Amino acid sequence: ECVARREGMENRRQKLHIHLIRHGETMYNRMNKVQGQSNVPLSDLGREQAGFLGARYQDAFFDEIIVSDLLRTRQTAEQIFPYLSNTDLEQRVEYSPMLREKDAGIFTGQERGAADVVARKEGIPVRLYRPDQGESWQDVALRAQKFATRLLQRHLTPTPSPSSSSSSASPSPPSAVPLGASLEPPAPVTREDAPPTPAPTPACAPPEDLFAPRSTAWRIMLVSHGGCIRELDHSLMAFNKVPIASLPGMEEELPKGPPPSRNIRNCCVTVYEAGLSRTGKMKIRALLRNDISHYEGKLGRTQSTL
């Protein structure tokens, strides 16, 4: 029985469903101010948004939950957790600085766009401009790339070939790759031959109820921030059709170009499906994108932009 259960878990690991959630609204969102890595709490509306999303996950079970360690994401997750069927959340949840928002440095608390104005005045590309005590968007992209690479590497392993399975030696389990590494940004490397980022597409009908209590896939919840989510989305989609064998050396290789401009709404959820083809290439697609149907039309006001 234990062997069958373990094999069932490994089979589910061959298909991942990654639920990427943005935090609920804060007062800085409402006032159009830069939050960066400051610990701004959720507004009353933000807590309501997260509560509606929690109700959408009624009795759902997650195999893995990783939350940005900033206050607004932790509070969002705390509104969702009571609805889940997990009874071991303390052991299953990881709070990670890798999922933090871009550190805005001296521009924290200022009006959005202030750093871009300074970058243009100084003749520095906006994505490369690093404010005092802060990060550039290139830094955030590298952090997101490292996180996405390690997450996929930790779970996606090629199916053993018939010849290898006939060997007397048991296959080694995939090595656990730590996700919470140093935030010091390495020198950027651009992968010129990376697959082009697909154009934005409307949310497609999911092949199964993505919010059902149980799933045939290994279910992962990530709770993060608008800027980090854009970069994570860019990395994940660029991995589509890339050989899994190439993954260990890609932590510092960025997808070509900036991420697509997307409207990342407060407390929206995007769901990715990730797996491997028979030839060992990663298959990654978005099953649901930036969805807020759990609270849309149910609240007096929604905050819809980053």
Side-chain angles (χ1 to χ4, degrees), residues 113-157:
D116 296 355
V117 172
V118 174
R120 294 187 181 101
K121 283 183 178 179
E122 296 183 5
I124 302 173
V126 170
R127 280 189 66 78
L128 300 181
Y129 177 68
R130 184 183 293 123
D132 290 345
Q133 305 170 36
E135 294 178 296
S136 69
W137 282 113
Q138 191 90 329
D139 295 335
V140 182
L142 285 163
R143 173 155 52 88
Q145 176 78 2
K146 180 177 291 188
F147 179 91
T149 302
R150 293 181 177 188
L151 184 70
L152 295 174
Q153 186 179 350
R154 186 158 78 179
H155 292 291
L156 296 182
T157 55

Side-chain angles (χ1 to χ4, degrees), residues 60-277:
F61 179 86
F62 279 86
D63 299 283
E64 190 171 343
I65 301 172
I66 308 174
V67 181
S68 159
D69 60 353
L70 296 180
L71 180 62
R72 56 192 182 274
T73 38
R74 294 175 71 106
Q75 289 182 334
T76 299
E78 287 166 3
Q79 294 293 319
I80 297 171
F81 288 165
Y83 292 93
L84 304 182
S85 65
N86 295 71
T87 58
D88 57 349
L89 282 173
E90 289 186 2
Q91 291 76 35
R92 201 170 290 271
V93 179
E94 174 186 350
Y95 294 96
S96 173
M98 298 289 284
L99 290 179
R100 287 180 182 180
E101 183 57 285
K102 175 182 181 289
D103 190 339
I106 61 173
F107 292 98
T108 301
Q110 296 193 29
E111 187 173 345
R112 276 177 49 204
D116 296 355
V117 172
V118 174
R120 294 187 181 101
K121 283 183 178 179
E122 296 183 5
I124 302 173
V126 170
R127 280 189 66 78
L128 300 181
Y129 177 68
R130 184 183 293 123
D132 290 345
Q133 305 170 36
E135 294 178 296
S136 69
W137 282 113
Q138 191 90 329
D139 295 335
V140 182
L142 285 163
R143 173 155 52 88
Q145 176 78 2
K146 180 177 291 188
F147 179 91
T149 302
R150 293 181 177 188
L151 184 70
L152 295 174
Q153 186 179 350
R154 186 158 78 179
H155 292 291
L156 296 182
T157 55
T159 304
S161 63
S163 59
S164 63
S165 62
S166 62
S167 173
S168 58
S170 301
S172 300
S175 58
V177 181
L179 297 177
S182 169
L183 299 183
E184 285 297 320
V189 179
T190 301
R191 179 157 37 93
E192 295 296 332
D193 59 343
T197 302
T201 55
C204 52
E208 65 174 307
D209 186 355
L210 300 174
F211 301 87
R214 289 285 175 170
S215 173
T216 58
W218 188 264
R219 218 182 234 168
I220 302 170
M221 177 186 290
L222 308 177
V223 186
S224 187
H225 309 261
C228 186
I229 287 173
R230 281 196 182 121
E231 303 296 343
L232 276 171
D233 176 82
H234 196 30
S235 289
L236 287 170
M237 298 309 294
F239 282 138
N240 188 41
K241 298 183 180 180
V242 171
I244 188 69
S246 304
L247 200 56
M250 295 175 65
E251 283 195 3
E252 299 176 13
E253 296 185 12
L254 292 180
K256 188 176 181 180
S261 178
R262 300 193 193 278
N263 187 14
I264 312 294
R265 300 183 178 189
N266 283 121
C267 225
C268 69
V269 56
T270 295
V271 182
Y272 304 91
E273 183 176 86
L276 290 177
S277 70

